[in-house]
Amino acid sequence: MTLNTTQLRPHAAPFRPRSARLVLGSASRFGQPDGAWWPRTRDLARELGELADVIDPLWGRLTHVAVNPRHWWPVPSGLVVVNDHEVTVDRFTDSLNRHRILLQSYTAGCWDLLVVPPPTNSSSAALLMAASASPTR
């Protein structure tokens, strides 16, 4: 029997951040969402980092988020640090659908996204996300 005594040396592995599961519509449709977002958890403060990674380069720095707190746990309040900048989180229980999130950037305006609940299976989530981005909807 041969015994190998060579120790493996530590090596650097490339870090690949998870990207937000997000689709955006191509045209604004009155009363319809501008796209859909499928977060991995109900922890809004944690999920906003991945969402901002996609949104910030497209629309400018995310500055405000409005949510219905029934969908999120825990629900952050006031200012939350997201990717080294502050984002204001506003909670609207009565006036905002719990499956929607409103995003605002000072440089580019507001967007309304459908939130696909995290436990949704992948085939149902794909259908919801495709339908929300469809220009004929």
Side-chain angles (χ1 to χ4, degrees):
M1 177 168 110
T2 305
L3 180 62
N4 186 351
T5 59
T6 306
Q7 291 184 344
L8 295 175
R9 294 182 185 256
H11 64 281
F15 174 72
R16 297 185 63 133
R18 299 185 319 180
S19 62
R21 298 180 288 189
L22 176 72
V23 296
L24 301 172
S26 58
S28 179
R29 301 152 306 188
F30 183 75
Q32 299 299 318
D34 298 309
W37 175 41
W38 185 23
R40 288 174 174 78
T41 69
R42 293 189 184 274
D43 184 345
L44 183 62
R46 178 179 169 193
E47 296 293 331
L48 281 177
E50 290 180 17
L51 184 60
D53 284 343
V54 176
I55 297 297
D56 288 356
L58 294 174
W59 294 340
R61 182 172 282 191
L62 186 62
T63 57
H64 286 82
V65 175
V67 297
N68 185 319
R70 291 185 189 138
H71 186 75
W72 304 100
W73 184 256
V75 182
S77 61
L79 293 175
V80 175
V81 176
V82 176
N83 299 350
D84 298 326
H85 68 279
E86 292 179 342
V87 174
T88 302
V89 177
D90 294 319
R91 299 184 269 180
F92 296 96
T93 305
D94 297 328
S95 59
L96 186 60
N97 182 318
R98 67 186 184 129
H99 295 290
R100 300 292 264 280
I101 186 169
L102 302 177
L103 309 175
Q104 181 179 5
S105 163
Y106 283 132
T107 58
C110 296
W111 298 272
D112 176 3
L113 298 178
L114 172 73
V115 177
V116 177
T120 305
N121 68 54
S122 58
S123 59
S124 296
L127 289 171
L128 287 168
M129 294 178 80
S132 72
S134 172
T136 58
R137 184 164 179 249

